[in-house]
Amino acid sequence: MSFEGSPELSVVVPVYNEEGNLLPFLGAMARQRELHLEVIISDGGSSDGGIGVARAFAKDAPFAVTVIEGTKGRGAQLNLGADAARAPLLLFLHVDSRFDDPLALRKAVDALVKARREGQRVAGRFSLRFDFEGAVPLPYRFYGAKATLDRPGCTHGDQGFMMGSDFFNELGTFQSALPLMEDTFLAERVREKGSWILFPARIATSPRRFLTEGLLPRQSLNAILTNLATLGHLSLIESLRQSYRSQDAAKRLELRPMLRPLKLKMAQLPRRERWRLWYRTGSYVRSNAWQIAFFLDVVTGGAGEGKGGSFLSLHDRLLGRLIDNRAGNCAAALFTWFWFQATLRLCR
């Protein structure tokens, strides 16, 4: 099938042994309307039949489908896909994502183009919904609501990242030194150099990793990784490399085997640097205390899209300011230290 002209949007999807999800994903993309797009499947050396599925679909697809092959690693795969893109706008998606609205991408492109006219350094993401049959459990409703906030640490790759290729190149592409957190690093670079907008459509994503690994251990490790990334301790993140497996190899996470190497790595730091690490961790934890208030807003139905309710407002106006000091940082550091030690003991 031939496609005339350049596409408006290049959709880049990294995959590794995702044969079962490729056809549903491509079918969902085919239901999008009023937009000239291309889909780039960036494979990281899969051993299943996913590439064959994508190439078979491409024969009769209503858009161009390109399959490229490279080494495993989400960051490197995303960068390779971006290099192959022909459109001026890029959308980085997960293969287990879908849109219910057939005009979701059309509306998103229009919103981003309008925002770019007002300022070139802008990127967009979608509101997030976890794909459950029936009612969405409370923790996932909280994470979905939090993803609409324009605050540090609230923007993640499962929301889809759309931006101009020029802005993406200016940001310095996805980091590929570690096989994790490439979306978090890029999201915060966007926030540093430009701004995020929230698209009108919603994206549905699978909770499969949380269900497989366990919500509490996965989110505990995510919090540790985000903290270390924020503090710039990439060497300590390296000790947690094994905590992030590809989806086909995911299994129930046990926290102790993951945290033990981190503790040993931290013990090698000079005492003064170790104390500074815990203090800065306390500062990070204290600065995220607003999430407790926002959780209460979600529970009580007071949270709106992109904003909190009365509890978050109270925190930002009063409580957050009361603890924004050295005493608050030290208290949060002590609490986190006790949590860390207790987790290592209780998870034996």
Side-chain angles (χ1 to χ4, degrees):
M1 191 172 193
S2 63
F3 303 90
E4 295 181 1
S6 298
E8 292 178 77
L9 179 69
S10 294
V11 181
V12 179
V13 189
V15 299
Y16 181 77
N17 289 345
E18 293 282 4
E19 180 179 2
N21 284 305
L22 267 168
L23 194 57
F25 173 81
L26 291 168
M29 287 294 100
R31 290 191 289 274
Q32 290 297 301
R33 296 289 179 262
E34 300 184 17
L35 183 71
H36 184 191
L37 61 85
E38 68 171 353
V39 173
I40 300 170
I41 305 297
S42 183
D43 185 80
S46 298
S47 57
D48 63 1
I51 291 180
V53 169
R55 287 175 173 158
F57 183 90
K59 295 177 182 179
D60 298 310
F63 46 76
V65 178
T66 302
V67 178
I68 56 177
E69 300 178 62
T71 56
K72 182 182 176 183
R74 188 182 291 272
Q77 290 173 239
L78 289 165
N79 292 335
L80 195 62
D83 288 341
R86 296 182 295 139
L89 299 180
L90 305 173
L91 172 60
F92 301 101
L93 277 185
H94 290 182
V95 73
D96 57 0
S97 301
R98 64 178 177 82
F99 300 98
D100 294 326
D101 183 356
L103 295 177
L105 296 185
R106 176 72 268 166
K107 295 174 183 176
V109 166
D110 290 344
L112 185 64
V113 169
K114 179 180 178 182
R116 278 167 58 86
R117 291 196 193 104
E118 301 170 1
Q120 288 293 317
R121 293 179 174 87
V122 63
R125 85 278 191 209
F126 297 88
S127 299
L128 182 65
R129 177 178 67 81
F130 286 93
D131 200 4
F132 283 93
E133 291 185 10
V136 178
L138 176 59
Y140 296 92
R141 285 195 284 118
F142 166 71
Y143 295 130
K146 193 177 80 165
T148 67
L149 300 178
D150 190 13
R151 293 183 177 225
C154 291
T155 307
H156 302 287
D158 47 11
Q159 294 179 256
F161 289 176
M162 186 186 295
M163 64 193 71
S165 58
D166 52 351
F167 187 31
F168 176 69
N169 291 327
E170 181 183 343
L171 292 170
T173 69
F174 288 94
Q175 70 86 21
S176 56
L178 294 172
L180 43 83
M181 295 193 67
E182 70 291 325
D183 57 338
T184 302
F185 284 114
L186 189 75
E188 296 313 314
R189 289 208 303 277
V190 169
R191 194 165 273 111
E192 292 170 4
K193 293 180 177 291
S195 60
W196 281 103
I197 62 171
L198 187 66
F199 292 138
R202 190 177 297 273
I203 190 171
T205 190
S206 170
R208 57 184 178 150
R209 181 173 290 277
F210 293 127
L211 297 178
T212 301
E213 297 184 335
L215 180 62
L216 182 58
R218 179 70 265 165
Q219 288 296 65
S220 296
L221 281 171
N222 285 347
I224 293 171
L225 287 166
T226 304
N227 170 53
L228 294 175
T230 302
L231 302 185
H233 275 276
L234 298 188
S235 63
L236 294 179
I237 292 178
E238 181 70 28
S239 68
L240 291 168
R241 174 186 286 267
Q242 62 173 321
S243 74
Y244 216 92
R245 307 176 180 92
S246 58
Q247 181 60 43
D248 68 305
K251 59 183 180 180
R252 182 74 183 183
L253 271 178
E254 300 294 339
L255 281 178
R256 181 178 168 78
M258 302 298 174
L259 298 185
R260 182 67 179 170
L262 176 61
K263 181 180 180 180
L264 295 175
K265 193 81 171 180
M266 290 170 61
Q268 296 173 8
L269 297 174
R271 179 178 297 180
R272 187 177 183 86
E273 186 175 347
R274 192 162 63 247
W275 285 354
R276 176 174 169 78
L277 171 62
W278 278 114
Y279 178 79
R280 294 180 66 202
T281 294
S283 176
Y284 173 80
V285 171
R286 186 267 310 156
S287 69
N288 278 278
W290 64 267
Q291 296 193 44
I292 300 174
F294 185 66
F295 181 80
L296 294 175
D297 282 331
V298 174
V299 170
T300 58
E305 185 164 88
K307 61 181 181 180
S310 57
F311 286 103
L312 183 58
S313 177
L314 177 63
H315 173 274
D316 289 346
R317 287 187 293 104
L318 180 61
L319 299 180
R321 297 181 180 181
L322 288 176
I323 62 175
D324 186 6
N325 48 52
R326 187 174 181 83
N329 293 342
C330 289
L334 188 62
F335 170 82
T336 308
W337 184 87
F338 274 116
W339 170 86
F340 187 78
Q341 300 301 325
T343 301
L344 281 170
R345 290 179 178 273
L346 294 174
C347 292
R348 286 181 177 177

